[in-house]
Coordinates of all heavy atoms in Angstrom, one line a residue:
M35 N 43.1 -2.3 -13.4 CA 44.2 -1.6 -13.7 C 44.8 -1.0 -12.4 O 44.1 -0.6 -11.5 CB 43.8 -0.4 -14.6 CG 45.0 0.3 -15.2 SD 44.7 1.6 -16.4 CE 43.9 0.7 -17.7
P36 N 46.2 -1.0 -12.3 CA 46.8 -0.5 -11.0 C 46.6 1.0 -10.9 O 46.4 1.7 -11.9 CB 48.3 -0.8 -11.3 CG 48.4 -1.6 -12.5 CD 47.1 -1.5 -13.2
K37 N 46.6 1.4 -9.7 CA 46.4 2.9 -9.4 C 47.8 3.4 -8.9 O 48.6 2.7 -8.3 CB 45.4 3.0 -8.3 CG 44.0 2.6 -8.8 CD 42.9 3.1 -7.8 CE 41.6 2.8 -8.3 NZ 41.1 3.6 -9.3
C38 N 48.0 4.7 -9.2 CA 49.2 5.4 -8.7 C 49.1 5.4 -7.1 O 48.0 5.7 -6.6 CB 49.1 6.8 -9.2 SG 50.5 7.9 -8.5
R39 N 50.2 5.1 -6.5 CA 50.1 5.1 -5.0 C 50.1 6.5 -4.4 O 49.9 6.6 -3.2 CB 51.3 4.3 -4.5 CG 52.7 4.8 -4.9 CD 53.8 4.0 -4.5 NE 55.0 4.3 -5.2 CZ 56.2 4.1 -4.8 NH1 56.4 3.4 -3.7 NH2 57.2 4.5 -5.5
F40 N 50.3 7.5 -5.2 CA 50.3 8.9 -4.7 C 49.0 9.6 -4.9 O 48.5 10.3 -4.1 CB 51.5 9.7 -5.3 CG 52.8 9.1 -4.9 CD1 53.5 8.4 -5.7 CD2 53.3 9.4 -3.6 CE1 54.8 7.8 -5.4 CE2 54.5 8.9 -3.2 CZ 55.3 8.1 -4.1
C41 N 48.5 9.5 -6.2 CA 47.2 10.2 -6.5 C 46.0 9.4 -6.8 O 44.9 9.9 -7.1 CB 47.5 11.2 -7.6 SG 47.7 10.4 -9.2
D42 N 46.2 8.1 -6.7 CA 45.1 7.1 -7.0 C 44.5 7.1 -8.4 O 43.4 6.7 -8.6 CB 44.0 7.4 -5.9 CG 43.2 6.1 -5.6 OD1 43.8 5.0 -5.6 OD2 42.0 6.2 -5.3
Y43 N 45.3 7.6 -9.3 CA 44.9 7.7 -10.7 C 45.2 6.3 -11.4 O 46.2 5.6 -11.1 CB 45.7 8.7 -11.5 CG 45.4 9.0 -12.9 CD1 44.3 9.8 -13.2 CD2 46.1 8.5 -13.9 CE1 44.0 10.1 -14.5 CE2 45.8 8.7 -15.3 CZ 44.7 9.6 -15.5 OH 44.4 9.8 -16.8
D44 N 44.2 5.8 -12.2 CA 44.4 4.6 -12.9 C 45.6 4.7 -13.9 O 45.6 5.6 -14.8 CB 43.2 4.2 -13.7 CG 42.1 3.7 -12.8 OD1 42.4 3.2 -11.7 OD2 40.9 3.9 -13.2
V45 N 46.6 3.8 -13.8 CA 47.8 3.9 -14.6 C 48.1 2.5 -15.2 O 48.1 1.5 -14.5 CB 49.0 4.3 -13.8 CG1 50.3 4.4 -14.6 CG2 48.8 5.7 -13.1
H46 N 48.3 2.5 -16.5 CA 48.6 1.2 -17.2 C 50.0 0.8 -16.7 O 51.0 1.6 -16.7 CB 48.6 1.4 -18.7 CG 48.7 0.1 -19.4 ND1 49.8 -0.6 -19.7 CD2 47.6 -0.8 -19.8 CE1 49.6 -1.7 -20.3 NE2 48.3 -1.8 -20.4
P47 N 50.3 -0.4 -16.4 CA 51.6 -0.9 -15.8 C 52.8 -0.7 -16.8 O 53.9 -0.7 -16.3 CB 51.4 -2.3 -15.4 CG 50.1 -2.8 -16.1 CD 49.3 -1.5 -16.4
S48 N 52.5 -0.6 -18.1 CA 53.6 -0.4 -19.0 C 54.1 1.0 -19.0 O 55.2 1.3 -19.6 CB 53.1 -0.8 -20.4 OG 52.2 0.1 -20.9
I49 N 53.4 1.9 -18.4 CA 53.9 3.3 -18.4 C 54.8 3.5 -17.3 O 54.6 3.0 -16.2 CB 52.6 4.3 -18.2 CG1 51.7 4.1 -19.4 CG2 53.1 5.7 -18.1 CD1 50.4 4.9 -19.2
G50 N 55.9 4.3 -17.5 CA 56.9 4.5 -16.4 C 56.6 5.4 -15.4 O 57.1 5.4 -14.3
Q51 N 55.6 6.4 -15.6 CA 55.2 7.3 -14.6 C 53.8 7.7 -14.7 O 53.2 7.5 -15.8 CB 56.1 8.5 -14.6 CG 55.9 9.5 -15.8 CD 56.9 10.6 -15.8 OE1 58.0 10.4 -15.6 NE2 56.4 11.8 -16.2
C52 N 53.2 8.1 -13.7 CA 51.8 8.5 -13.6 C 51.6 9.7 -14.5 O 52.2 10.8 -14.3 CB 51.4 8.7 -12.2 SG 49.7 9.3 -12.0
P53 N 50.6 9.7 -15.4 CA 50.4 10.9 -16.2 C 49.7 12.0 -15.5 O 49.7 13.1 -15.9 CB 49.4 10.3 -17.4 CG 48.9 9.0 -16.9 CD 49.8 8.5 -15.9
Q54 N 49.1 11.7 -14.3 CA 48.4 12.7 -13.5 C 49.3 13.5 -12.7 O 49.3 14.7 -12.7 CB 47.4 11.9 -12.6 CG 46.6 12.9 -11.7 CD 45.4 13.6 -12.5 OE1 45.1 13.3 -13.6 NE2 44.9 14.6 -11.9
C55 N 50.2 12.8 -11.9 CA 51.1 13.5 -11.0 C 52.6 13.3 -11.2 O 53.4 14.0 -10.6 CB 50.8 13.0 -9.5 SG 51.4 11.3 -9.2
G56 N 52.9 12.4 -12.2 CA 54.3 12.2 -12.5 C 55.1 11.3 -11.7 O 56.3 11.1 -11.9
A57 N 54.5 10.7 -10.7 CA 55.2 9.7 -9.8 C 55.6 8.5 -10.6 O 54.9 8.1 -11.5 CB 54.3 9.4 -8.6
P58 N 56.7 7.9 -10.2 CA 57.1 6.6 -10.8 C 56.1 5.5 -10.5 O 55.5 5.4 -9.4 CB 58.4 6.3 -10.2 CG 58.6 7.1 -9.0 CD 57.6 8.3 -9.1
V59 N 55.8 4.7 -11.5 CA 54.8 3.6 -11.4 C 55.6 2.3 -11.1 O 56.6 2.0 -11.8 CB 54.0 3.5 -12.7 CG1 53.1 2.3 -12.7 CG2 53.2 4.8 -13.0
D60 N 55.1 1.6 -10.1 CA 55.7 0.3 -9.8 C 55.5 -0.7 -10.9 O 54.4 -0.9 -11.4 CB 55.1 -0.3 -8.5 CG 55.4 0.6 -7.3 OD1 56.5 1.2 -7.3 OD2 54.6 0.5 -6.4
R61 N 56.5 -1.3 -11.4 CA 56.4 -2.4 -12.4 C 56.4 -3.7 -11.7 O 56.8 -3.8 -10.5 CB 57.6 -2.3 -13.4 CG 57.6 -1.0 -14.2 CD 58.7 -1.0 -15.2 NE 58.8 0.3 -15.8 CZ 58.3 0.6 -17.0 NH1 57.6 -0.4 -17.7 NH2 58.4 1.7 -17.5
P62 N 55.9 -4.8 -12.4 CA 55.9 -6.0 -11.7 C 57.3 -6.4 -11.2 O 58.3 -6.2 -11.9 CB 55.5 -7.0 -12.8 CG 54.7 -6.1 -13.8 CD 55.3 -4.8 -13.7
N63 N 57.4 -6.9 -10.0 CA 58.6 -7.1 -9.3 C 59.0 -8.6 -9.4 O 58.4 -9.4 -8.7 CB 58.5 -6.7 -7.9 CG 59.8 -6.7 -7.1 OD1 60.8 -7.4 -7.6 ND2 59.9 -6.0 -6.0
A64 N 59.9 -8.9 -10.3 CA 60.3 -10.3 -10.4 C 61.0 -10.9 -9.2 O 60.8 -12.1 -8.8 CB 61.4 -10.4 -11.6
D65 N 61.7 -10.0 -8.4 CA 62.3 -10.4 -7.2 C 61.3 -10.8 -6.2 O 61.4 -11.8 -5.5 CB 63.2 -9.3 -6.6 CG 63.9 -9.7 -5.4 OD1 64.6 -10.8 -5.4 OD2 64.0 -9.0 -4.4
L66 N 60.2 -10.1 -6.1 CA 59.1 -10.5 -5.1 C 58.5 -11.8 -5.6 O 58.2 -12.6 -4.7 CB 58.0 -9.4 -5.2 CG 56.7 -9.7 -4.3 CD1 57.1 -9.9 -2.9 CD2 55.7 -8.6 -4.5
E67 N 58.3 -12.0 -6.8 CA 57.8 -13.3 -7.3 C 58.7 -14.5 -6.9 O 58.2 -15.5 -6.5 CB 57.6 -13.3 -8.8 CG 56.9 -14.5 -9.4 CD 56.6 -14.4 -10.8 OE1 56.2 -13.3 -11.3 OE2 56.7 -15.4 -11.5
Q68 N 60.0 -14.2 -7.0 CA 61.0 -15.3 -6.6 C 60.9 -15.5 -5.1 O 61.0 -16.7 -4.6 CB 62.4 -14.8 -7.0 CG 62.6 -14.9 -8.5 CD 64.0 -14.3 -8.9 OE1 64.7 -13.7 -8.1 NE2 64.4 -14.5 -10.1
Q69 N 60.8 -14.5 -4.3 CA 60.7 -14.6 -2.9 C 59.4 -15.4 -2.5 O 59.4 -16.3 -1.6 CB 60.7 -13.2 -2.2 CG 62.0 -12.5 -2.3 CD 61.9 -11.1 -1.8 OE1 60.9 -10.7 -1.3 NE2 63.1 -10.4 -1.8
V70 N 58.3 -15.0 -3.1 CA 57.1 -15.7 -2.9 C 57.2 -17.2 -3.2 O 56.7 -18.1 -2.5 CB 55.9 -15.0 -3.6 CG1 54.6 -15.9 -3.6 CG2 55.6 -13.7 -3.0
R71 N 57.8 -17.5 -4.4 CA 57.9 -18.9 -4.8 C 58.8 -19.6 -3.8 O 58.5 -20.8 -3.5 CB 58.5 -18.9 -6.2 CG 58.6 -20.3 -6.7 CD 59.0 -20.4 -8.1 NE 59.1 -21.8 -8.5 CZ 59.7 -22.3 -9.6 NH1 60.1 -21.4 -10.5 NH2 59.7 -23.5 -9.8
L72 N 59.9 -19.0 -3.4 CA 60.7 -19.7 -2.4 C 60.0 -20.0 -1.1 O 60.1 -21.2 -0.6 CB 61.9 -18.8 -2.0 CG 62.9 -19.3 -1.0 CD1 63.6 -20.6 -1.5 CD2 64.0 -18.3 -0.7
L73 N 59.2 -19.1 -0.6 CA 58.4 -19.4 0.6 C 57.3 -20.5 0.3 O 57.1 -21.4 1.2 CB 57.6 -18.1 1.0 CG 58.6 -17.1 1.7 CD1 57.8 -15.8 1.9 CD2 59.1 -17.5 3.0
L74 N 56.7 -20.5 -0.9 CA 55.8 -21.6 -1.2 C 56.5 -22.9 -1.3 O 55.9 -23.9 -0.9 CB 55.1 -21.2 -2.5 CG 54.1 -20.0 -2.4 CD1 53.6 -19.7 -3.9 CD2 53.0 -20.3 -1.5
D75 N 57.7 -22.9 -1.9 CA 58.5 -24.2 -2.0 C 58.7 -24.7 -0.6 O 58.9 -25.9 -0.4 CB 59.8 -23.9 -2.7 CG 59.6 -23.8 -4.2 OD1 58.6 -24.2 -4.7 OD2 60.6 -23.2 -4.8
Q76 N 58.8 -23.8 0.4 CA 59.1 -24.3 1.8 C 57.9 -24.5 2.6 O 57.9 -24.8 3.8 CB 59.9 -23.2 2.5 CG 61.3 -23.0 1.9 CD 62.0 -21.7 2.5 OE1 61.4 -21.0 3.3 NE2 63.2 -21.5 2.1
G77 N 56.7 -24.4 1.9 CA 55.4 -24.7 2.6 C 55.0 -23.6 3.4 O 54.2 -23.8 4.4
Q78 N 55.4 -22.4 3.2 CA 55.1 -21.2 4.0 C 54.2 -20.2 3.3 O 54.5 -19.1 3.0 CB 56.4 -20.5 4.4 CG 57.3 -21.3 5.3 CD 58.5 -20.5 5.7 OE1 58.5 -19.4 5.9 NE2 59.6 -21.2 5.9
K79 N 53.0 -20.7 3.0 CA 52.0 -20.0 2.3 C 51.6 -18.7 3.0 O 51.5 -17.6 2.4 CB 50.8 -20.8 2.0 CG 49.7 -20.0 1.2 CD 48.5 -20.9 1.0 CE 47.4 -20.1 0.2 NZ 46.2 -20.9 0.1
I80 N 51.4 -18.8 4.3 CA 51.0 -17.6 5.1 C 52.1 -16.5 5.0 O 51.8 -15.3 4.8 CB 50.7 -18.0 6.5 CG1 49.4 -18.8 6.5 CG2 50.4 -16.8 7.4 CD1 49.0 -19.4 7.8
A81 N 53.3 -16.9 5.2 CA 54.4 -15.9 5.1 C 54.5 -15.3 3.7 O 54.8 -14.1 3.5 CB 55.7 -16.6 5.4
A82 N 54.2 -16.1 2.7 CA 54.2 -15.6 1.3 C 53.1 -14.6 1.1 O 53.3 -13.6 0.5 CB 54.1 -16.8 0.3
V83 N 51.9 -14.9 1.6 CA 50.8 -14.0 1.5 C 51.2 -12.6 2.3 O 50.9 -11.6 1.7 CB 49.5 -14.6 2.1 CG1 48.4 -13.6 2.1 CG2 49.1 -15.7 1.2
K84 N 51.7 -12.8 3.4 CA 52.1 -11.6 4.2 C 53.1 -10.7 3.5 O 53.0 -9.5 3.4 CB 52.6 -11.9 5.6 CG 52.9 -10.7 6.5 CD 53.2 -11.1 7.9 CE 53.5 -10.0 8.8 NZ 53.7 -8.7 8.3
L85 N 54.1 -11.4 3.0 CA 55.2 -10.7 2.2 C 54.5 -10.0 1.0 O 54.8 -8.7 0.8 CB 56.2 -11.7 1.7 CG 57.3 -11.1 0.8 CD1 58.2 -10.1 1.5 CD2 58.1 -12.2 0.2
Y86 N 53.7 -10.6 0.2 CA 53.1 -10.0 -0.9 C 52.2 -8.8 -0.5 O 52.3 -7.7 -1.1 CB 52.3 -11.0 -1.7 CG 51.8 -10.6 -3.0 CD1 52.5 -10.9 -4.2 CD2 50.6 -9.8 -3.2 CE1 52.2 -10.4 -5.4 CE2 50.2 -9.3 -4.4 CZ 51.0 -9.6 -5.5 OH 50.6 -9.2 -6.8
K87 N 51.4 -9.0 0.6 CA 50.5 -7.9 1.0 C 51.4 -6.7 1.4 O 51.1 -5.6 1.1 CB 49.8 -8.4 2.2 CG 48.8 -7.4 2.8 CD 48.1 -7.9 4.0 CE 47.2 -6.9 4.7 NZ 47.8 -5.6 4.9
D88 N 52.4 -6.9 2.2 CA 53.3 -5.8 2.7 C 54.0 -5.1 1.5 O 54.1 -3.9 1.5 CB 54.3 -6.3 3.7 CG 53.7 -6.8 5.0 OD1 52.5 -6.4 5.3 OD2 54.4 -7.4 5.8
Q89 N 54.5 -5.9 0.6 CA 55.3 -5.3 -0.5 C 54.4 -4.5 -1.5 O 54.8 -3.5 -2.1 CB 56.1 -6.4 -1.3 CG 57.2 -7.0 -0.5 CD 58.3 -6.0 -0.2 OE1 58.7 -5.4 -1.2 NE2 58.8 -6.0 1.0
K90 N 53.2 -5.1 -1.8 CA 52.3 -4.5 -2.8 C 51.3 -3.5 -2.2 O 50.6 -2.8 -3.0 CB 51.6 -5.6 -3.6 CG 52.5 -6.4 -4.5 CD 53.1 -5.5 -5.6 CE 53.7 -6.3 -6.6 NZ 54.2 -5.5 -7.7
G91 N 51.1 -3.6 -0.9 CA 50.1 -2.7 -0.3 C 48.7 -3.0 -0.7 O 47.8 -2.1 -0.8
V92 N 48.4 -4.3 -0.9 CA 47.0 -4.7 -1.3 C 46.3 -5.4 -0.1 O 46.9 -5.6 1.0 CB 47.1 -5.8 -2.4 CG1 47.7 -5.2 -3.7 CG2 47.9 -7.0 -2.0
S93 N 45.1 -5.6 -0.3 CA 44.3 -6.3 0.8 C 44.8 -7.7 1.0 O 45.4 -8.3 0.2 CB 42.8 -6.3 0.5 OG 42.5 -7.2 -0.5
L94 N 44.4 -8.3 2.1 CA 44.7 -9.7 2.5 C 44.2 -10.6 1.4 O 44.8 -11.5 1.0 CB 44.2 -10.0 3.9 CG 44.6 -11.4 4.4 CD1 46.1 -11.6 4.4 CD2 44.0 -11.6 5.8
L95 N 42.9 -10.4 1.0 CA 42.3 -11.2 0.0 C 43.0 -11.2 -1.3 O 43.3 -12.2 -1.9 CB 40.8 -10.8 -0.2 CG 40.1 -11.6 -1.3 CD1 40.0 -13.1 -1.0 CD2 38.6 -11.1 -1.4
E96 N 43.4 -9.9 -1.8 CA 44.1 -9.8 -3.0 C 45.5 -10.5 -3.0 O 45.9 -11.1 -3.9 CB 44.3 -8.3 -3.4 CG 43.0 -7.6 -3.7 CD 43.2 -6.1 -3.8 OE1 43.8 -5.5 -2.9 OE2 42.7 -5.5 -4.8
A97 N 46.2 -10.4 -1.8 CA 47.5 -11.0 -1.7 C 47.3 -12.5 -1.7 O 48.1 -13.2 -2.4 CB 48.1 -10.6 -0.3
K98 N 46.3 -13.0 -1.1 CA 46.1 -14.5 -1.1 C 45.8 -15.0 -2.5 O 46.4 -16.0 -2.9 CB 44.9 -14.8 -0.2 CG 44.6 -16.3 -0.1 CD 43.3 -16.6 0.8 CE 42.9 -18.0 0.8 NZ 42.2 -18.4 -0.4
Q99 N 44.9 -14.3 -3.2 CA 44.6 -14.6 -4.5 C 45.9 -14.6 -5.5 O 46.1 -15.5 -6.3 CB 43.5 -13.7 -5.1 CG 42.2 -14.0 -4.4 CD 41.1 -13.0 -4.8 OE1 41.4 -11.9 -5.2 NE2 39.9 -13.4 -4.6
A100 N 46.7 -13.5 -5.3 CA 47.9 -13.4 -6.1 C 48.9 -14.5 -5.8 O 49.5 -15.1 -6.7 CB 48.5 -12.1 -5.9
V101 N 49.1 -14.9 -4.5 CA 50.0 -16.0 -4.2 C 49.5 -17.3 -4.7 O 50.3 -18.1 -5.2 CB 50.2 -16.0 -2.6 CG1 50.9 -17.2 -2.2 CG2 51.0 -14.7 -2.2
E102 N 48.2 -17.5 -4.6 CA 47.7 -18.8 -5.1 C 47.8 -18.8 -6.7 O 48.0 -19.9 -7.2 CB 46.2 -18.9 -4.7 CG 46.1 -19.2 -3.2 CD 44.7 -19.3 -2.7 OE1 43.7 -18.8 -3.4 OE2 44.5 -19.8 -1.6
S103 N 47.6 -17.7 -7.3 CA 47.8 -17.6 -8.7 C 49.3 -18.0 -9.1 O 49.6 -18.7 -10.1 CB 47.5 -16.2 -9.3 OG 47.7 -16.1 -10.6
L104 N 50.2 -17.4 -8.3 CA 51.6 -17.7 -8.6 C 51.9 -19.2 -8.3 O 52.7 -19.9 -9.1 CB 52.6 -16.9 -7.7 CG 52.7 -15.4 -8.1 CD1 53.5 -14.6 -7.0 CD2 53.4 -15.3 -9.4
A105 N 51.3 -19.7 -7.3 CA 51.5 -21.1 -7.0 C 51.0 -22.0 -8.2 O 51.6 -23.0 -8.5 CB 50.8 -21.5 -5.7
A106 N 49.8 -21.7 -8.6 CA 49.3 -22.4 -9.8 C 50.2 -22.3 -11.0 O 50.4 -23.2 -11.8 CB 47.9 -21.9 -10.1
K107 N 50.7 -21.1 -11.2 CA 51.6 -20.9 -12.4 C 52.8 -21.8 -12.3 O 53.2 -22.3 -13.4 CB 52.1 -19.4 -12.3 CG 53.1 -19.0 -13.4 CD 53.5 -17.6 -13.3 CE 54.6 -17.2 -14.2 NZ 55.0 -15.8 -14.0
Y108 N 53.3 -22.1 -11.1 CA 54.5 -22.9 -11.0 C 54.1 -24.4 -10.6 O 55.0 -25.2 -10.3 CB 55.5 -22.3 -10.0 CG 56.1 -21.1 -10.5 CD1 55.7 -19.9 -9.9 CD2 57.0 -21.1 -11.5 CE1 56.3 -18.7 -10.4 CE2 57.6 -19.9 -12.0 CZ 57.2 -18.7 -11.4 OH 57.7 -17.6 -11.8
G109 N 52.8 -24.7 -10.6 CA 52.4 -26.0 -10.3 C 52.6 -26.5 -8.8 O 52.9 -27.6 -8.6
L110 N 52.5 -25.5 -7.9 CA 52.8 -25.8 -6.5 C 51.4 -26.0 -5.8 O 50.5 -25.2 -6.1 CB 53.5 -24.6 -5.8 CG 54.9 -24.3 -6.4 CD1 55.4 -23.0 -5.8 CD2 55.9 -25.5 -6.2
D111 N 51.3 -27.0 -4.9 CA 50.1 -27.2 -4.2 C 50.2 -26.5 -2.9 O 51.0 -26.7 -2.1 CB 49.9 -28.7 -3.9 CG 48.7 -29.1 -3.3 OD1 47.7 -28.2 -3.2 OD2 48.5 -30.2 -2.7
T112 N 49.2 -25.6 -2.7 CA 49.2 -24.8 -1.5 C 48.1 -25.2 -0.5 O 48.0 -24.5 0.5 CB 49.1 -23.3 -1.8 OG1 47.8 -23.1 -2.5 CG2 50.2 -22.8 -2.7
R113 N 47.4 -26.2 -0.9 CA 46.3 -26.6 0.0 C 46.8 -27.4 1.2 O 47.6 -28.3 1.0 CB 45.3 -27.5 -0.7 CG 44.5 -26.7 -1.8 CD 43.6 -27.6 -2.6 NE 44.5 -28.4 -3.4 CZ 44.3 -29.6 -3.8 NH1 43.2 -30.2 -3.4 NH2 45.1 -30.3 -4.5
R114 N 46.5 -27.0 2.4 CA 46.9 -27.7 3.6 C 45.6 -28.0 4.4 O 44.7 -27.1 4.4 CB 47.8 -26.9 4.4 CG 49.1 -26.5 3.7 CD 50.2 -27.6 3.9 NE 51.4 -27.2 3.4 CZ 52.1 -27.9 2.5 NH1 51.6 -29.0 2.0 NH2 53.2 -27.5 2.0
A115 N 45.6 -29.1 5.0 CA 44.4 -29.4 5.9 C 44.9 -29.6 7.3 O 46.0 -29.8 7.6 CB 43.8 -30.7 5.4
G116 N 43.9 -29.4 8.2 CA 44.2 -29.7 9.6 C 44.1 -28.4 10.4 O 44.0 -27.3 9.9
C117 N 44.3 -28.6 11.7 CA 44.2 -27.5 12.7 C 45.3 -26.6 12.6 O 45.1 -25.4 12.8 CB 44.2 -28.1 14.2 SG 42.7 -29.1 14.5
L118 N 46.5 -27.0 12.3 CA 47.7 -26.1 12.2 C 47.4 -25.0 11.1 O 47.7 -23.8 11.4 CB 48.9 -26.9 11.9 CG 50.2 -26.0 11.8 CD1 50.5 -25.3 13.1 CD2 51.4 -26.9 11.4
G119 N 46.9 -25.4 10.0 CA 46.7 -24.4 8.9 C 45.6 -23.4 9.3 O 45.7 -22.2 9.1
V120 N 44.5 -23.9 10.0 CA 43.5 -22.9 10.5 C 44.0 -22.0 11.5 O 43.8 -20.8 11.5 CB 42.3 -23.8 11.0 CG1 41.3 -22.8 11.6 CG2 41.6 -24.6 9.8
S121 N 44.8 -22.6 12.5 CA 45.4 -21.8 13.5 C 46.3 -20.7 13.0 O 46.3 -19.6 13.4 CB 46.2 -22.7 14.5 OG 45.3 -23.6 15.1
A122 N 47.1 -21.1 12.0 CA 48.0 -20.1 11.4 C 47.3 -19.0 10.7 O 47.7 -17.9 10.7 CB 49.0 -20.9 10.5
A123 N 46.2 -19.4 10.0 CA 45.4 -18.3 9.4 C 44.8 -17.4 10.3 O 44.7 -16.2 10.1 CB 44.3 -19.1 8.5
V124 N 44.3 -17.9 11.5 CA 43.7 -17.0 12.5 C 44.8 -16.1 13.1 O 44.6 -14.9 13.2 CB 43.1 -17.9 13.6 CG1 42.8 -17.0 14.8 CG2 41.9 -18.6 13.1
V125 N 46.0 -16.6 13.3 CA 47.1 -15.8 13.8 C 47.5 -14.7 12.8 O 47.7 -13.6 13.2 CB 48.3 -16.7 14.2 CG1 49.5 -15.8 14.5 CG2 48.0 -17.5 15.4
L126 N 47.6 -15.1 11.5 CA 47.9 -14.1 10.5 C 46.8 -13.0 10.4 O 47.2 -11.8 10.3 CB 48.1 -14.8 9.1 CG 48.3 -13.8 7.9 CD1 49.6 -13.1 8.1 CD2 48.3 -14.6 6.7
A127 N 45.6 -13.4 10.5 CA 44.5 -12.5 10.4 C 44.6 -11.5 11.6 O 44.4 -10.3 11.5 CB 43.2 -13.2 10.3
A128 N 44.9 -12.0 12.7 CA 45.0 -11.2 14.0 C 46.2 -10.2 13.8 O 46.1 -9.0 14.2 CB 45.2 -12.0 15.2
I129 N 47.3 -10.7 13.2 CA 48.4 -9.8 13.0 C 48.1 -8.7 12.0 O 48.4 -7.5 12.3 CB 49.7 -10.6 12.5 CG1 50.2 -11.5 13.6 CG2 50.8 -9.7 12.0 CD1 51.2 -12.5 13.2
V130 N 47.5 -9.0 11.0 CA 47.1 -8.1 9.9 C 46.1 -7.1 10.4 O 46.2 -5.9 10.2 CB 46.6 -8.8 8.7 CG1 46.0 -7.8 7.7 CG2 47.7 -9.6 8.0
L131 N 45.2 -7.6 11.2 CA 44.1 -6.7 11.7 C 44.5 -5.9 13.0 O 43.8 -5.0 13.4 CB 42.8 -7.5 11.9 CG 42.2 -8.1 10.7 CD1 41.0 -8.9 11.1 CD2 41.8 -7.0 9.7
G132 N 45.7 -6.3 13.5 CA 46.2 -5.6 14.7 C 45.4 -5.9 16.0 O 45.3 -5.1 16.9
T133 N 44.9 -7.1 16.1 CA 44.1 -7.5 17.2 C 44.9 -8.6 18.0 O 45.9 -9.1 17.5 CB 42.7 -8.1 16.9 OG1 42.9 -9.2 16.1 CG2 41.9 -7.0 16.2
T134 N 44.5 -8.9 19.2 CA 45.1 -9.9 20.0 C 44.2 -11.0 20.1 O 43.0 -10.9 20.1 CB 45.5 -9.4 21.4 OG1 44.4 -8.9 22.0 CG2 46.6 -8.3 21.3
I135 N 44.8 -12.2 20.3 CA 44.0 -13.4 20.4 C 43.8 -13.8 21.8 O 44.7 -13.7 22.6 CB 44.6 -14.6 19.6 CG1 44.7 -14.3 18.2 CG2 43.9 -15.9 19.8 CD1 45.5 -15.3 17.3

């Protein structure tokens, strides 16, 4: 269940505001889903994961799983093989973790 971004209270996504602190609750963002799908259509899975992570404030793993779930929902193949994919993943991880390569 999603948590309120202000007080960390468990909030059902169908509720418009947090019952604990009254803050507005984020509803699923159809626009974000469209942006992620567009990036996936262009073969930019890493950019899609980063966008999802930044917009939702979730961990890298959660963002990756969500993007892969969206890809499966639309029948998009996100599997890539080779050095370029591994290199891009390392660079993304470095960016997210704030380290230098």
Side-chain angles (χ1 to χ4, degrees):
M35 185 173 304
K37 295 193 177 285
C38 173
R39 60 184 164 158
F40 295 101
C41 71
D42 210 33
Y43 186 80
D44 288 332
V45 180
H46 193 275
S48 66
I49 299 174
Q51 68 183 44
C52 175
Q54 180 77 16
C55 71
V59 174
D60 294 333
R61 295 185 187 261
N63 187 343
D65 186 46
L66 175 60
E67 187 172 322
Q68 290 172 349
Q69 291 173 1
V70 167
R71 185 174 178 190
L72 179 63
L73 288 169
L74 291 173
D75 285 340
Q76 297 170 355
Q78 298 182 31
K79 179 181 177 183
I80 292 173
V83 171
K84 183 173 182 346
L85 174 69
Y86 192 94
K87 180 185 179 307
D88 292 345
Q89 292 290 316
K90 291 293 191 176
V92 297
S93 72
L94 183 58
L95 177 60
E96 290 170 314
K98 178 182 176 286
Q99 290 171 340
V101 167
E102 288 175 346
S103 176
L104 286 172
K107 175 180 174 181
Y108 292 109
L110 302 170
D111 184 15
T112 60
R113 292 174 289 145
R114 300 273 186 235
C117 295
L118 181 60
V120 172
S121 299
V124 169
V125 170
L126 176 62
I129 290 169
V130 169
L131 297 174
T133 60
T134 57
I135 297 175

